[in-house]
Amino acid sequence: MKKFDYDLLLSKSRFYTHYIAEQNSQNLTMKSIHNHSHYEILYIPEGERILVAEKNKYRLNKNCIALVPPYTLHRTLKSSEYTREYYKKYLINFTKDFVAKISMAMDIDVLAAFQQNIILIQFDNEEETDFVKSTMLQMLKYNNTGNLYDEQMFRVLLCGILTFLAKKTSKETIYNESVVTDKIVEYMENNFEEDITLETLAKQFFISKYEISRMFTKNVGISFVEYLTRIRIENSKKLLQETTLSITRISELTGFHSSSNFARVFKKLTGTSPKEYRKGENDIE
């Protein structure tokens, strides 16, 4: 079997989006630890390995999958309990963009399992094992052939595996709504100055804008737009109090498209204009 250096492939091609390899690899310890910008699925159908990721060690038994998120320092080591010269593995690498559109169309987060950071998944029965093996064998047929239809088939099969893994790692649902909502809120609070819309959030979190709107109202109690506006107004208050920046500049820094719109919204929520608010704060001091 031809040996592929997928890290070399990544470095040479900026168009890389997906890759799968079926390998009978030597049972040796990798010399150096590494990371990469893509997602990685490592499946061991035969043999045993030790995965070192960040500061933790994980034993990869037969029929075990390891999920490695982007930029995670990792390498695999020889297991002292497995003495054979070779072990078998399936290695899948893919970028976030490669599954983005189909994830949105499916209206679920197909990367949900990766959100738990490094995780090992041991299959419970032959049915699960057969599903993963057969799907990966199908993916090998469509792997980087240069044919557009083959690429779409690869994408569909990959999302099937990701959905299966997301469901298996979740106790109740494919993703926890409150956890996802908290992440969206955190993102909004850290990026309120940007042009945030339901569409941009949908692309960021791989969830449809309608689902985000529903979850937000359910878990936060107010609409997405109202919450974002409150974040921006509260931050504008701090800038009015603590800086001498112009009102126009403050409106820009807090994500408003114009100073007139900023003044209108500010007065609606606070009962006073930005200028009067700043003067009032100075009078108090």
Side-chain angles (χ1 to χ4, degrees):
M1 181 177 296
K2 185 177 180 181
K3 183 178 183 296
F4 289 91
D5 187 338
Y6 61 92
D7 282 325
L8 183 60
L9 174 67
L10 289 180
S11 64
K12 286 187 174 181
S13 176
R14 63 190 177 92
F15 300 108
Y16 170 87
T17 57
H18 62 285
Y19 178 70
I20 183 172
E22 179 187 43
Q23 300 175 343
N24 288 311
S25 301
Q26 281 190 293
N27 189 27
L28 300 173
T29 293
M30 294 178 67
K31 293 182 178 179
S32 61
I33 197 163
H34 67 285
N35 65 26
H36 37 65
S37 61
H38 54 276
Y39 290 82
E40 180 172 295
I41 299 175
L42 176 60
Y43 171 48
I44 307 293
E46 296 178 19
E48 183 178 294
R49 295 291 283 173
I50 302 297
L51 173 66
V52 179
E54 301 297 346
K55 298 180 179 179
N56 300 312
K57 286 186 178 181
Y58 306 87
R59 183 180 299 278
L60 278 63
N61 299 314
K62 180 179 178 180
N63 290 327
C64 180
I65 272 185
L67 305 181
V68 184
Y71 304 110
T72 301
L73 290 170
H74 65 285
R75 66 171 174 163
T76 59
L77 313 177
K78 181 178 180 180
S79 171
S80 59
E81 298 180 13
Y82 183 73
T83 58
R84 294 185 182 180
E85 186 177 355
Y86 289 90
Y87 71 98
K88 188 171 185 178
K89 68 178 178 181
Y90 287 88
L91 193 66
I92 301 176
N93 299 292
F94 62 96
T95 62
K96 185 177 183 180
D97 289 342
F98 184 68
V99 296
K101 289 184 179 179
I102 195 169
S103 180
M104 291 178 63
M106 292 169 66
D107 203 18
I108 62 171
D109 181 6
V110 297
L111 295 174
F114 280 93
Q115 293 176 1
Q116 303 180 46
N117 298 317
I118 290 291
I119 185 170
L120 296 188
I121 302 173
Q122 187 74 49
F123 299 132
D124 299 325
N125 51 58
E126 290 185 8
E127 183 179 355
E128 292 181 344
T129 302
D130 291 342
F131 168 76
V132 171
K133 281 185 178 179
S134 62
T135 303
M136 289 186 177
L137 286 172
Q138 288 294 313
M139 292 171 69
L140 285 167
K141 297 179 182 179
Y142 305 112
N143 184 40
N144 285 302
T145 65
N147 183 287
L148 179 61
Y149 293 101
D150 287 350
E151 180 178 311
Q152 295 294 357
M153 287 297 297
F154 189 102
R155 183 181 282 110
V156 169
L157 291 167
L158 173 59
C159 285
I161 287 181
L162 291 172
T163 302
F164 164 76
L165 296 176
K167 181 179 179 181
K168 188 168 177 61
T169 56
S170 174
K171 293 182 179 179
E172 298 179 359
T173 58
I174 291 178
Y175 57 78
N176 186 309
E177 283 191 2
S178 62
V179 172
V180 175
T181 304
D182 287 344
K183 290 185 177 181
I184 293 174
V185 167
E186 181 181 8
Y187 177 84
M188 291 167 63
E189 290 177 344
N190 292 332
N191 300 277
F192 60 85
E193 72 282 2
E194 297 180 5
D195 185 21
I196 298 177
T197 65
L198 285 173
E199 286 77 12
T200 60
L201 289 177
K203 291 179 181 180
Q204 179 70 25
F205 291 93
F206 300 133
I207 307 172
S208 75
K209 63 180 182 180
Y210 308 105
E211 182 69 1
I212 290 177
S213 179
R214 182 195 66 78
M215 286 195 307
F216 211 90
T217 303
K218 175 184 175 182
N219 293 288
V220 180
I222 57 177
S223 71
F224 148 77
V225 173
E226 186 177 354
Y227 190 82
L228 179 59
T229 301
R230 289 186 183 183
I231 294 173
R232 288 172 168 168
I233 292 300
E234 288 304 312
N235 280 276
S236 70
K237 285 181 180 180
K238 293 180 181 178
L239 292 175
L240 287 167
Q241 293 172 11
E242 300 171 5
T243 75
T244 58
L245 293 170
S246 69
I247 290 175
T248 297
R249 182 57 179 153
I250 289 175
S251 70
E252 295 171 351
L253 291 174
T254 51
F256 289 93
H257 293 297
S258 68
S259 57
S260 60
N261 180 50
F262 167 57
R264 179 183 61 79
V265 175
F266 191 95
K267 187 167 186 177
K268 180 180 178 181
L269 292 184
T270 66
T272 185
S273 69
K275 185 176 181 180
E276 291 169 339
Y277 181 85
R278 170 175 273 173
K279 185 177 184 301
E281 289 296 321
N282 291 335
D283 288 344
I284 291 173
E285 292 177 354

